[in-house]
Amino acid sequence: MYSDNLVHIWITLLGRPANKIASLLVENYGSLREAYLVKSYTDVTCEIRNNRLLCQRLMDESIKDRAARIYERVLEKGVKITHVFREDYPEDLKNIFDPPFVLYYYGKLPDKNTTLLSVVGSRKCSAYGRKVTYDMCFNIAKHGVGIVSGMAKGIDARAHVGCLDANGYTIAVLGGGPDNIYPLENEVIYYRIKENGLVLSEYPPGTMPLKHHFPARNRIIAGLGKGLLVCEAGKKSGAMITVNFAINEGRDIFSVPGNIDSSYSEGCNSLIKAGACIATSFIDVLEGLNLIEGRKIAGTVGWLNGLDKEEAMVADLIYKGVKIEDICSKTGLDSARVVAITTILEVKGILGRDRHGNLHVVI
């Protein structure tokens, strides 16, 4: 049994970085197929012989047997494959440090014209974080931007669902094989993404989601997006690993501010202090990615659609020029609730602030 996919799987088993190994083999044998057909030491070139470990692995038939078993499982599970030399391999990912040599996936790879935004945050998150993430990703997806995340519980899950509910395109980058649903509580989300987006992994089908896989997969999440949005994360959150990858790859970092007394928001607030773009609305992200022009003050017909009763009431009063302190007396809401509502309205893109910090309605 021989195929190009089998050979590319075999390359990933020879060592890392697989891209450099593949290039070295092509230089020495003219093609990966010819390298795969090497059987004995006499067939090994002098340059490869100087790399003792690679030389041994090149002739190791057990590695080819393992590649064949993986390929059989790929066929059995209906998993698709692309590799770094193919045109359909995501261009932005191809250009990162140590891009995955092979990608296993279900669904549809992004086309060249799709703009992607990576979204991360903590598994343990607040109700505020979940709502902000959903609203941000829903509205960003409505503007044609795809959402990339890791399908973990918490922020990741809300990012995917927000995008899917907006009929958008979303990519789940897994820490196990593409056929391994993890965590199981996100099974419904997994199948929605598989049907309408892309389930992606550098690990072959059947691979369990081991702990050390997740930091490695974070480079893929960071690499796929034009920018990275951190919705809610503590200082020691795994999301901060993805931030470091994104910074190293020159991606724009957007951070949603949170309660200064909440440990859930320590990471986001520290990123803002360090110079990340503050994201109080999805419009901040779209502007930062140069996808829309600046905001316009407005009160257009239908702009209250989709808001709950309290949100619509507060937004309408702000549009009419009522001050925050007077909104409490007019609505019967306490000040803390009004502040919470205005923050949510900013995230939804209903409210913005002028250069003096005053709230106004935007489109």
Side-chain angles (χ1 to χ4, degrees):
M1 177 180 61
Y2 173 84
S3 78
D4 286 340
N5 282 337
L6 170 62
V7 173
H8 288 100
I9 292 170
W10 171 69
I11 292 292
T12 66
L13 304 179
L14 295 179
R16 295 189 72 168
N19 302 310
K20 289 186 177 180
I21 290 174
S23 297
L24 180 62
L25 293 177
V26 170
E27 288 174 9
N28 280 267
Y29 295 99
S31 71
L32 295 179
R33 183 181 187 278
E34 290 303 315
Y36 179 81
L37 296 175
V38 168
K39 298 289 186 181
S40 66
Y41 189 76
T42 56
D43 297 326
V44 179
T45 63
C46 292
E47 185 177 5
I48 300 297
R49 288 178 186 179
N50 291 332
N51 186 329
R52 182 177 298 178
L53 183 59
L54 179 58
C55 179
Q56 291 174 347
R57 290 178 175 175
L58 196 63
M59 298 181 294
D60 190 340
E61 290 298 314
S62 68
I63 294 179
K64 292 178 181 177
D65 291 341
R66 183 182 170 198
R69 290 194 297 273
I70 292 173
Y71 185 51
E72 287 175 3
R73 190 172 182 88
V74 165
L75 296 176
E76 175 190 337
K77 294 289 184 176
V79 174
K80 301 174 186 177
I81 292 181
T82 189
H83 55 79
V84 75
F85 297 138
R86 283 184 52 167
E87 288 189 6
D88 63 357
Y89 191 99
E91 194 66 29
D92 286 327
L93 186 61
K94 188 181 294 185
N95 295 322
I96 70 169
F97 175 76
D98 191 23
F101 186 72
V102 166
L103 292 173
Y104 302 89
Y105 67 96
Y106 287 117
K108 180 184 177 184
L109 291 167
D111 61 44
K112 302 295 183 182
N113 298 319
T114 302
T115 299
L116 299 173
L117 174 72
S118 305
V119 179
V120 296
S122 297
R123 290 172 173 80
K124 294 182 179 179
C125 56
S126 67
Y128 163 79
R130 289 191 293 272
K131 182 169 177 56
V132 164
T133 303
Y134 178 92
D135 291 341
M136 281 276 200
C137 292
F138 180 92
N139 286 293
I140 288 169
K142 280 292 186 184
H143 284 75
V145 178
I147 299 297
V148 183
S149 199
M151 213 186 79
K153 64 181 181 180
I155 297 300
D156 286 14
R158 299 309 295 162
H160 291 305
V161 173
C163 181
L164 289 166
D165 287 353
N167 296 316
Y169 175 78
T170 187
I171 300 175
V173 184
L174 306 187
D179 59 332
N180 197 313
I181 304 173
Y182 181 83
L184 195 56
E185 67 189 68
N186 287 343
E187 182 177 13
V188 173
I189 298 173
Y190 171 89
Y191 283 111
R192 288 184 69 186
I193 298 172
K194 186 178 178 181
E195 180 69 24
N196 301 292
L198 178 68
V199 175
L200 185 70
S201 179
E202 67 177 316
Y203 303 107
T207 304
M208 295 299 293
L210 303 177
K211 187 175 181 179
H212 67 274
H213 289 173
F214 291 93
R217 73 87 193 258
N218 288 351
R219 82 189 193 287
I220 302 176
I221 294 175
L224 284 167
K226 293 291 186 185
L228 176 72
L229 173 64
V230 188
C231 288
E232 188 176 64
K235 268 192 173 181
K236 296 183 179 180
S237 168
M240 305 306 282
I241 297 174
T242 314
V243 171
N244 289 331
F245 280 123
I247 291 172
N248 290 336
E249 297 299 337
R251 303 299 194 258
D252 290 323
I253 308 298
F254 303 90
S255 186
V256 176
N259 188 331
I260 61 173
D261 295 323
S262 172
S263 60
Y264 291 128
S265 296
E266 285 182 345
C268 286
N269 292 338
S270 66
L271 286 173
I272 293 169
K273 286 172 66 177
C277 303
I278 186 169
T280 59
S281 163
F282 72 92
I283 295 177
D284 291 325
V285 179
L286 296 178
E287 287 179 350
L289 296 174
N290 297 316
L291 297 176
I292 62 171
E293 296 180 357
R295 301 172 180 169
K296 299 177 182 178
I297 300 175
T300 56
V301 175
W303 63 278
L304 294 176
N305 291 348
L307 303 181
D308 66 32
K309 184 177 179 181
E310 290 183 348
E311 290 170 352
M313 187 164 51
V314 171
D316 185 51
L317 288 172
I318 290 174
Y319 173 63
K320 292 174 180 176
V322 179
K323 295 180 179 180
I324 293 293
E325 53 266 32
D326 295 327
I327 290 178
C328 297
S329 59
K330 287 183 176 292
T331 61
L333 300 172
D334 61 44
S335 58
R337 181 59 184 154
V338 170
V339 169
I341 291 172
T342 58
T343 300
I344 290 169
L345 290 173
E346 284 188 79
V347 170
K348 287 185 174 182
I350 301 298
L351 299 182
R353 292 182 185 269
D354 61 24
R355 61 192 181 90
H356 301 294
N358 299 315
L359 287 165
H360 58 73
V361 174
V362 300
I363 57 170

